[in-house]
Amino acid sequence: MSRFVRASKYRHVFGQAAKKEHGLENVRISSSAWDTNLCGASGQYISVNYQVGGGGAFAILPLPGTELSAGVPYRLPDVFPLARGHTAPVLDTDWSPFDDRIVASGGEDGKVLVWKVEGTEFEGWGAEKWVPQDFEPVSRIAASARKIGQVMFHPTASHVLASATGDHTVKLWDLANAEDPRSTLVGHGDTIQSIAFNSTGTLLATTSRDRKLRLFDPRTGGEAVRVGEGHGGIKGARIAWMGDMDKIATTGFSRMSDRQVSIWDTGSLDSEKTINIDQSAGVLMPFWSDNGILFLAGKGDGNIRCYEYDQDSLFALSDYTSPNPQRGMCFLPRRALNVSECEIARAYKVYGTSVEPISFIVPRKSDSFQADIFPPAPSSEPALSASEFFSGKTAPRNLVDLDSGTASTGAAPTTLHHQPTPTKSATAPATLSAFAPEPVIIHKSPAIAEPPSTPAATTTTTHDIQPQPQPPSPTTQHSPPIPSFSVTDSSSSDLKSENEKLAKELREANALVRNLELQVETLKANANKARQLLG
């Protein structure tokens, strides 16, 4: 065993559960057997799949400990506003990354519904003669004749939504013109278990019950451009893209029922590393943080495992342990974290009839902003419109500095060359003009363990959705003397600029190589399909 300890600024990260009054209790969580996270969170609200007598519903509640939750008791009443609209149980929800008030839901009825939270629904809770008013969807999409197992918003384009259906397809929708899907991804041999976009939304990866790992171009549709062998077991494979890297993390089961986590290279879909966790039966839910940390939460487990990805390996960090087994979990967007408490991630754990916030904190003595543990977070400002995305335009995601709030752009996107998809109408219907872009104000969340002291946020009351290496020292031995020189500030600046230019050119070259490889894979897939049709 090595005597040296690996240097890591996250070695002492720990999880800390919030006090009871900063969570939610008396939550009737859905009893559906479908493998889902059961909850989702934006910077202001949390959604929880709810158990109701008939049809399907989910709860929309202000995040505990925020200004919006001031009038909402932590122990929920038996009757309160729900998002009703599905005729069968709700299976999955996802919040827009660009507007904290917009959430999409998918259910067993084959429908995708889009909702907008005005904020007025929480006024007067518990007051005399208060009558709960349920949420109403602003858009209904008949997405499939079978169930909708997963929904996911696009990470850079506004109002682009992906839905995984029970007929083994993934459909992409422009919510401003959702009469028909803009593209359909096919080729799955069995139930789709998980979907994930890369950081720029130019690629989409899926896991399936047929034990295959697939990589799609979400705009061209059709068959996968790359297919690889996944985990050996058929139960509960999940997937998460590892930020701006061309790598994906998956969880699943081996043929001997060992729970596993694997890292894959998207260029070849070869497994770079696989770790056997244990032999428990619960599905492992993976969550990636741009700090380079992979969180694993097993269903039925009380602990949350933390791994730091460094030097092409996963290194175990301190686990969060609890006696309460979780049924589901979601993570807060990084732009809403409490940076003053060195909170690098926050999970919302669903167990029993409760929702419990868990902060992951890096202990620091200084009260100043710790830039080394807070890389820029994805912004609430979209980089593309839906029409720009489907016409073939690509752009890196917008980022925000968590200290100053200044905006920047991320890494260059990995793209695929494809023909633009024709649109049915250049103008969105008047009834869905709600999906025009809007600037969204970025705010910092207060600590979950203390009452908020910030002034109340202004509530928008519109009825439509508005998206908001140092070189080696020369030696004089056996060599002629080398004249000395000093590096001025301007020379250093020029060298830095040249390095940045070369690094950018290298990224672009790598992206071009990847594009060519994926084009070859596409041609091969099309040729095989044509050969099968011709007999």
Side-chain angles (χ1 to χ4, degrees), residues 34-40 92 193-194 236-240 249-253 259-261 277 281-288 293-307 325-331 347-351:
W34 179 252
D35 179 23
T36 179
N37 288 0
L38 289 173
C39 60
D92 194 27
Q193 297 174 320
S194 182
R238 296 287 198 96
I239 192 167
T250 63
T251 59
F253 292 80
R259 289 201 298 189
Q260 298 177 324
V261 57
I277 305 296
V283 173
L284 284 170
M285 299 174 283
F287 302 94
W288 174 259
I293 298 177
L294 180 66
F295 297 93
L296 301 180
K299 291 192 173 184
D301 297 354
N303 63 326
I304 302 174
R305 295 174 173 86
C306 308
Y307 293 89
Q326 57 241 5
R327 289 189 56 199
M329 186 170 291
C330 64
F331 274 69
Y348 286 89
K349 171 182 173 177
V350 175
Y351 70 95

Side-chain angles (χ1 to χ4, degrees), residues 94-105:
D94 191 44
W95 290 88
S96 169
F98 311 119
D99 192 330
D100 289 336
R101 302 166 299 167
I102 297 176
V103 60
S105 60

Side-chain angles (χ1 to χ4, degrees), residues 328-365:
M329 186 170 291
C330 64
F331 274 69
L332 186 72
R334 288 185 55 241
R335 57 183 165 83
L337 294 172
N338 183 14
V339 296
S340 63
E341 296 292 335
C342 294
E343 180 188 46
I344 63 167
R346 189 190 306 172
Y348 286 89
K349 171 182 173 177
V350 175
Y351 70 95
T353 59
S354 303
V355 177
E356 179 183 54
I358 302 169
S359 290
F360 290 88
I361 298 170
V362 176
R364 292 287 174 92
K365 293 181 179 180

Side-chain angles (χ1 to χ4, degrees), residues 234-462:
I234 63 173
K235 181 180 178 181
R238 296 287 198 96
I239 192 167
W241 211 286
M242 299 172 66
D244 292 328
M245 294 184 288
D246 290 331
K247 299 180 187 296
I248 50 181
T250 63
T251 59
F253 292 80
S254 69
R255 292 183 180 274
M256 302 302 292
S257 298
D258 294 316
R259 289 201 298 189
Q260 298 177 324
V261 57
S262 296
I263 306 297
W264 310 78
D265 174 58
T266 58
S268 60
L269 285 188
D270 291 332
S271 176
E272 294 187 348
K273 188 175 186 63
T274 297
I275 299 175
N276 288 336
I277 305 296
D278 54 29
Q279 289 189 323
S280 297
V283 173
L284 284 170
M285 299 174 283
F287 302 94
W288 174 259
S289 168
D290 287 334
N291 303 81
I293 298 177
L294 180 66
F295 297 93
L296 301 180
K299 291 192 173 184
D301 297 354
N303 63 326
I304 302 174
R305 295 174 173 86
C306 308
Y307 293 89
E308 182 180 5
Y309 185 76
D310 187 30
Q311 301 172 1
D312 297 329
S313 294
L314 289 173
F315 296 93
L317 302 174
S318 299
D319 291 354
Y320 167 79
T321 57
S322 168
N324 303 312
Q326 57 241 5
R327 289 189 56 199
M329 186 170 291
C330 64
F331 274 69
L332 186 72
R334 288 185 55 241
R335 57 183 165 83
L337 294 172
N338 183 14
V339 296
S340 63
E341 296 292 335
C342 294
E343 180 188 46
I344 63 167
R346 189 190 306 172
Y348 286 89
K349 171 182 173 177
V350 175
Y351 70 95
T353 59
S354 303
V355 177
E356 179 183 54
I358 302 169
S359 290
F360 290 88
I361 298 170
V362 176
R364 292 287 174 92
K365 293 181 179 180
S366 175
D367 293 332
S368 61
F369 179 74
Q370 305 294 304
D372 61 320
I373 60 173
F374 288 108
S379 166
S380 58
E381 186 69 27
L384 297 169
S385 65
S387 59
E388 288 174 331
F389 170 73
F390 285 113
S391 66
K393 186 175 180 180
T394 60
R397 58 182 177 175
N398 289 325
L399 304 175
V400 61
D401 186 276
L402 295 181
D403 181 33
S404 63
T406 56
S408 62
T409 56
T414 302
T415 59
L416 296 174
H417 297 295
H418 60 278
Q419 296 296 324
T421 305
T423 60
K424 290 186 65 176
S425 172
T427 306
T431 55
L432 289 180
S433 61
F435 296 100
E438 116 184 306
V440 180
I441 297 175
I442 297 165
H443 56 85
K444 296 182 180 179
S445 171
I448 58 174
E450 296 180 5
S453 59
T454 55
T458 303
T459 303
T460 303
T461 57
T462 54

